[in-house]
Amino acid sequence: MAKKLRWLPLDNAAKIYPAARRQNWSNVFRLSATLSESVDRNILQSALEVTLSRFPSIAVRLRRGVFWYYLEQLPYTVKIKDEYSYPLTRMTKAETRNCALRVIVYKNRIAIEIFHSLTDGNGALVFLKTLVAEYLTQKYGISIPATHGVLDRNEEPSDAELEDSYQKYAGKLLASRKENTAWHLSGTPEAKGFINLTCFEIPVKAALEKAHEYNVSLNTFICAAMMMALQNMQEQKVSQQKLRRPIKVLIPVNLRKLFESKTLRNFVLYTTPEILPKLGRYSFEEICKVIHHHVALDATPKQMSMKIAANVQSERIMALKLTPLFIKNFVMKAVYDTVGECKSCLSLSNLGRADIPDEMKPYIKRFDFILGVQATCPSNCGVISYGDTLYINLVRNIRESDLEYNFYKVLKEFSLPVKLQSNFE
């Protein structure tokens, strides 16, 4: 008899992504590991088959039910793909129905691209490190311990890894959704959905030293540099101070650090520090203080439990549970457009340091994290560090590179040694 396929309901955060996607946009992100040698595709395919059985919430396709979408375990093996002409090409509805995960090889780089309904960047990083560990084990015969986010491929997945932690940690009080609408970037759309990618490489030590000069974390320093660049851009484009809009950057918060959760599914929420240019120009020190205090007040278990509660409230109402999916999709897309992307200029998602077991370090040169552009905002930013280097990947789907130029200027004003790489001339 054919094996019965496992299925999972979407977690609370995942429900919005199938509804919010549109013809020219799908919420997909990329993680990659660059190895010291060219990738053997046959060995990687074998390693992938072993690894996928350990991640039943990632080896899935998106299926449509009467009332909700759900994830169904794949009845076939994921095939490795060749690199596209640019990263994060649109993942069509037909593609997510077949497989919502891509595994891509280019020379010595292994990349995964994942539809956001499957997991967040933290869960995806565990999957990528485990896949690379299995690949190195098969190719070189080395023994790699199940530490630093590498999972034992011989273990059965636990219930804790598959749980919807939003449901578990929702509070009793609801947070308000009221927020200011942010200033938005604009420009000339690229032809055929082309994505421009610029990577800023900075020595971690140098960036940390500058952050410590302002008594803030590295993440706050990067976010402040981005907000300073956005402030400079708005001053260039909007001459009258009274017409300037709030500058806001959306910062994902990994809730696993606030709650006892081992889930490999989505478990992040967001905080959006803001400055108000109508009040006048902010110094870099002022921006650092705004971000530091905003995050300190907002990214706490009590505050986040109220935000979780606001998100899960609707799906617990019986009348809404029984509402047909096509109506839910219409409503959720409208909600996303109203209280989602319009509330920030862009996202700045920092996965932190990519730690791996010592046994893997001689074989891996770098990690990269790339967010897809938003549905209505042309830019996004993914950050990760590995070894001595910080990798900041800025993407855009417009021709104008004003944000990259202004961000680079801000970094150079701090005399930081910045190396640039891009996929455009």
Side-chain angles (χ1 to χ4, degrees):
M1 294 179 64
K3 180 181 177 181
K4 185 176 181 181
L5 299 178
R6 184 195 298 230
W7 69 275
L8 290 168
L10 297 186
D11 61 65
N12 177 259
K15 287 181 169 66
I16 194 69
Y17 301 128
R21 61 184 174 179
R22 53 210 73 192
Q23 187 63 33
N24 61 348
W25 175 79
S26 58
N27 201 329
V28 178
F29 63 90
R30 168 184 282 216
L31 273 160
S32 65
T34 302
L35 308 188
S36 55
E37 296 181 358
S38 296
V39 176
D40 186 315
R41 293 174 69 106
N42 292 329
I43 295 177
L44 180 61
Q45 185 68 60
S46 174
L48 179 60
E49 292 171 9
V50 172
T51 306
L52 287 175
S53 63
R54 182 64 181 80
F55 292 85
S57 60
I58 291 179
V60 295
R61 52 187 179 179
L62 183 70
R63 310 298 280 178
R64 185 186 181 107
V66 177
F67 301 109
W68 292 108
Y69 288 98
Y70 63 95
L71 302 176
E72 183 182 61
Q73 184 181 357
L74 292 174
Y76 36 72
T77 300
V78 177
K79 296 297 183 183
I80 295 170
K81 297 178 180 291
D82 292 322
E83 184 63 277
Y84 299 89
S85 57
Y86 58 91
L88 298 169
T89 57
R90 175 174 173 261
M91 189 176 285
T92 65
K93 291 182 179 180
E95 189 173 354
T96 57
R97 283 195 297 268
N98 290 321
C99 179
L101 162 73
R102 295 171 180 156
V103 180
I104 300 167
V105 169
Y106 178 71
K107 295 183 179 179
N108 59 335
R109 184 175 65 218
I110 301 171
I112 58 172
E113 293 185 350
I114 295 182
F115 184 53
H116 214 328
S117 286
L118 275 56
T119 186
D120 54 32
N122 303 283
L125 184 57
V126 172
F127 174 78
L128 176 63
K129 289 193 288 189
T130 304
L131 172 61
V132 174
E134 179 63 25
Y135 170 79
L136 296 176
T137 297
Q138 291 194 23
K139 183 171 184 181
Y140 300 103
I142 59 176
S143 177
I144 299 174
T147 61
H148 299 84
V150 173
L151 301 187
D152 186 340
R153 279 78 70 201
N154 296 318
E155 281 185 347
E156 286 295 316
S158 67
D159 292 340
E161 293 171 358
L162 303 178
E163 76 174 10
D164 180 354
S165 291
Y166 295 105
Q167 304 292 341
K168 184 175 181 179
Y169 292 106
K172 295 181 179 180
L173 298 178
L174 309 183
S176 171
R177 296 183 185 273
K178 188 175 181 181
E179 283 193 56
N180 290 326
T181 298
W183 179 66
H184 282 167
L185 304 173
S186 59
T188 308
E190 285 282 12
K192 298 181 180 179
F194 184 81
I195 300 294
N196 296 284
L197 170 64
T198 304
C199 181
F200 297 74
E201 296 182 28
I202 307 171
V204 171
K205 183 179 179 181
L208 273 173
E209 287 175 352
K210 287 298 177 182
H212 292 162
E213 287 180 16
Y214 291 90
N215 297 313
V216 295
S217 67
L218 179 57
N219 195 49
T220 296
F221 177 81
I222 299 167
C223 185
M226 184 65 70
M227 292 180 78
M228 177 63 79
L230 290 164
Q231 177 179 234
N232 294 343
M233 288 178 64
Q234 185 171 208
E235 288 177 354
Q236 296 160 14
K237 296 175 183 293
V238 184
S239 58
Q240 296 187 53
Q241 181 177 313
K242 65 180 181 180
L243 298 180
R244 292 171 188 163
R245 306 285 300 173
I247 300 293
K248 302 175 66 178
V249 170
L250 187 150
I251 303 174
V253 177
N254 181 8
L255 297 178
R256 299 168 185 82
K257 295 182 178 181
L258 301 180
F259 302 97
E260 293 183 5
S261 173
K262 296 181 179 179
T263 186
L264 293 176
R265 306 178 73 190
N266 287 292
F267 198 41
V268 294
L269 277 179
Y270 306 94
T271 185
T272 47
E274 68 177 314
I275 59 174
L276 303 173
K278 279 186 178 181
L279 302 178
R281 181 171 177 80
Y282 285 68
S283 68
F284 189 81
E285 185 175 12
E286 287 177 310
I287 297 175
C288 283
K289 288 180 178 179
V290 167
I291 299 168
H292 173 77
H293 292 297
H294 180 96
V295 173
L297 288 170
D298 205 29
T300 66
K302 289 183 174 61
Q303 287 296 118
M304 287 296 159
S305 70
M306 291 196 297
K307 289 190 176 186
I308 294 171
N311 290 340
V312 304
Q313 179 197 32
S314 57
E315 67 177 274
R316 291 179 173 178
I317 300 172
M318 184 56 67
L320 292 177
K321 283 184 179 180
L322 300 177
T323 301
L325 182 58
F326 75 93
I327 297 177
K328 285 193 181 88
N329 281 345
F330 178 81
V331 173
M332 286 192 289
K333 185 174 183 296
V335 170
Y336 185 82
D337 291 342
T338 303
V339 300
E341 292 180 355
C342 67
K343 301 304 180 183
S344 62
C345 304
L346 53 75
S347 297
L348 193 154
S349 182
N350 186 357
L351 291 185
R353 186 173 60 192
D355 287 327
I356 55 175
D358 290 340
E359 291 81 354
M360 296 174 66
K361 290 179 181 178
Y363 304 94
I364 300 180
K365 296 171 63 177
R366 64 185 283 179
F367 282 91
D368 282 278
F369 175 43
I370 307 173
L371 285 180
V373 296
Q374 301 184 19
T376 57
C377 302
S379 297
N380 246 351
C381 184
V383 183
I384 195 169
S385 64
Y386 175 68
D388 299 326
T389 307
L390 180 70
Y391 300 97
I392 304 173
N393 283 291
L394 258 174
V395 296
R396 59 181 164 85
N397 60 3
I398 56 175
R399 296 178 185 173
E400 293 80 4
S401 57
D402 296 353
L403 179 58
E404 290 88 339
Y405 174 72
N406 279 276
F407 185 57
Y408 178 78
K409 280 184 64 178
V410 171
L411 296 176
K412 293 303 290 184
E413 286 170 3
F414 291 106
S415 301
L416 287 171
V418 183
K419 179 181 177 181
L420 293 181
Q421 292 181 315
S422 70
N423 66 339
F424 60 93
E425 296 181 357

